[in-house]
Every structure is written in structure tokens, then in C-alpha cells.
Amino acid sequence: RTLGHHGGQPNRPCSTSSLAAPLPCSMFRLLLRPVAKARARYHSTVAGAGAAASVAAAETVAVGEGTLTFARTQPFKFNIIVATVKTALCDLLVQRYIEKRDTIDWKRNGVFVMFGGAYLGVFQYGLYVGLFQRLWPGMATFAAQPLSQKLRNAAGLRDLCKQIAFDNFVHYPFIYFPTFYCIKEGLQGDSGPVVAGGLAKYRANGVEDNLKMWALWIPGDAIVYAVPLWMRLPLNHGLSFVWTCYLSFLRGGQDEADEIEPLVHAQECRA
């Protein structure tokens, strides 16, 4: 026997006549080295993917918490941003995926950008937060109560019904829809009178528009006006996303212009 170079252990001499002769340990280690490296790379990749997923989840949570904090601490700014982006996005989604338009009608989208930012963002904030608090000063206390206390608060429930009635039977018919139609007429209409043209179109569509508005917003307002005040407008925007998509589909185009034109001219003659 001869002594090997590894730990002084004897190695069997390699026989050329027997292929089944065992290889030395160093040869096994040499053959298994690529396998070990591949396993190390695999475990490193898995660990890296897990760490990346954890970081992504933590970043998502941080963004969500930051958004909620911004909504609570800067409700006016938050409302303007959400209202403008939401309203414009609704119209773009309707044009692209429901109406299947090849090109976007940016003048039409401008109606929803202006209506979303100026009316839904600025005016409605003053309406829902400012005016409503003056008309119903106990609404903040009622909104902050748990459901069990709300159900026992008779005065708060009466105020809740009054807010729902004011929103659906005063605000929407006499402020919301006339403003929308006038903005639409100003950006999409001809060179005729903006207010007369917009109100003429609203008169033609008003019954249908308000019935569909009430079907969504009477039950929707029962929820919106019962949550804490800082959640009121964000929740309102969530429901409004559905309504605005429908409004864009129903009234975003100019299909009704030819039907309304004779009525506008008749009003101009009487004036």
C-alpha cells in the first residue's frame, strides 16, 4: 500500500481493468462541488425573493398608512386630488373599454376634469363639511358614535334622514345636474348660450337622471353620512366612481345635442 496525500490515509491503487473501483474522496468532492454551488445559489435566490417580497409588502403598508394620514390631516387637498383624478379616470375608462373608442375625446374628458376638480373637489367639500355642519351641528358627534349608540340616538337619526333628503332632493336636482350640464355645454356645445343650452339638455334628461341618481345615492348616503367625518368624502368618492362611470357612459357624449337644439332655439326666440 501507498500513503495518500490527504491525511495520510492509504489509497487503493487505481486498476485499469476494473471500472467499478471506488474513486478517492477528493474526486467525489470535486464532482459534487458544482452541485453544492447550485444549491447555495438556489437558497440565496429564495431568500432574496422572500426579502424582496417582505420589503414590497412593508412599502405597500407604508403607502396605505401615509395616504390615510394625509386624508385625515389634509382633507381639503386630499378631496381635490381624489375628485379630479377619479372623475377624469372614470371617463377615460368608459371611452376606452366600454365605448371601445379608437381615440380619446379629450374635450369630453376635459368636462370631467373641470367638473371633478371645481365642483366635486372644491364645492362639495364646502357643502358636505361646511354647510352640513352648520345645518346639523350634531352630525360629527353622531358620526363618531358606534352603531349601537347611533341606533339609540333619535335626534341623530332624524338629522341623518334630513341630510339624505337634502342631498338627493335639493342638491342633486337643483345644483349638481345643472352645473354638470352647463360645464358640458361650455366645453362641448356650439357657440350658443352656455347656460340656456345646458339647462335645456338637463330639462330633457332630468327625470331619468334623477331617478337613476336616487337609486344609488339614497341608500349610499345612508352609509356615507353615518361614518366618521374624515371618512365621509373618501367613501363618497368610492361610490361616486361607480356613478361617474355611468354618467360618462350616459351623458358624456354629444348624441343628445341634435334632439335638444330645437328647444334651445325656441327659448332664444322667446327671450
Side-chain angles (χ1 to χ4, degrees), residues 136-198:
W136 299 286
M139 73 176 192
T141 302
F142 175 81
Q145 291 176 339
L147 179 61
S148 58
Q149 293 185 21
K150 284 186 174 77
L151 295 176
R152 296 194 299 268
N153 187 342
L157 290 173
R158 283 195 298 270
D159 286 348
L160 175 64
C161 293
K162 291 176 183 177
Q163 292 172 69
I164 295 172
F166 181 91
D167 202 23
N168 284 274
F169 302 116
V170 177
H171 169 221
Y172 291 142
F174 300 107
I175 305 175
Y176 177 96
F177 278 121
T179 302
F180 171 76
Y181 276 99
C182 287
I183 291 176
K184 182 175 183 293
E185 183 68 15
L187 294 180
Q188 287 185 305
D190 297 328
S191 57
V194 171
V195 175

Side-chain angles (χ1 to χ4, degrees), residues 8-205:
Q9 298 297 324
N11 294 332
R12 287 187 177 182
C14 295
S15 172
T16 58
S17 62
S18 176
L19 296 178
L23 294 173
C25 293
S26 59
M27 295 293 292
F28 277 112
R29 286 195 293 270
L30 183 63
L31 292 174
L32 293 176
R33 188 176 299 168
V35 178
K37 289 182 177 180
R39 289 184 61 188
R41 285 195 300 268
Y42 170 77
H43 289 298
S44 176
T45 302
V46 171
S54 299
V55 170
E59 290 178 348
T60 301
V61 171
V63 170
E65 292 177 348
T67 302
L68 291 176
T69 300
F70 181 67
R72 286 193 296 266
T73 58
Q74 301 289 337
F76 181 63
K77 295 178 181 178
F78 179 80
N79 185 63
I80 294 175
I81 294 171
V82 172
T84 305
V85 173
K86 172 211 67 181
T87 312
L89 180 61
C90 287
D91 179 62
L92 291 175
L93 290 175
V94 169
Q95 290 195 50
R96 178 63 71 186
Y97 297 107
I98 297 179
E99 297 176 355
K100 306 294 185 181
R101 290 174 175 261
D102 295 329
T103 58
I104 297 296
D105 184 348
W106 292 109
K107 182 181 290 187
R108 163 179 162 174
N109 190 251
V111 173
F112 287 88
V113 170
M114 181 176 294
F115 185 68
Y119 187 85
L120 303 182
V122 177
F123 176 79
Q124 282 195 352
Y125 183 88
L127 176 70
Y128 290 137
V129 178
L131 180 61
F132 272 37
Q133 283 183 328
R134 292 190 181 94
L135 294 176
W136 299 286
M139 73 176 192
T141 302
F142 175 81
Q145 291 176 339
L147 179 61
S148 58
Q149 293 185 21
K150 284 186 174 77
L151 295 176
R152 296 194 299 268
N153 187 342
L157 290 173
R158 283 195 298 270
D159 286 348
L160 175 64
C161 293
K162 291 176 183 177
Q163 292 172 69
I164 295 172
F166 181 91
D167 202 23
N168 284 274
F169 302 116
V170 177
H171 169 221
Y172 291 142
F174 300 107
I175 305 175
Y176 177 96
F177 278 121
T179 302
F180 171 76
Y181 276 99
C182 287
I183 291 176
K184 182 175 183 293
E185 183 68 15
L187 294 180
Q188 287 185 305
D190 297 328
S191 57
V194 171
V195 175
L199 293 181
K201 291 178 181 178
Y202 174 48
R203 277 193 291 274
N205 301 324

Side-chain angles (χ1 to χ4, degrees), residues 82-83 86-87 89-91 93-94 98 112 120 176 212-213 215-217 220 234-251:
V82 172
K86 172 211 67 181
T87 312
L89 180 61
C90 287
D91 179 62
L93 290 175
V94 169
I98 297 179
F112 287 88
L120 303 182
Y176 177 96
K212 290 176 178 177
M213 175 72 88
L216 174 65
W217 283 105
L235 181 58
N236 183 81
H237 285 309
L239 288 172
S240 180
F241 184 88
V242 178
W243 166 255
T244 306
C245 286
Y246 182 72
L247 182 65
S248 172
F249 175 73
L250 187 68
R251 304 297 180 211

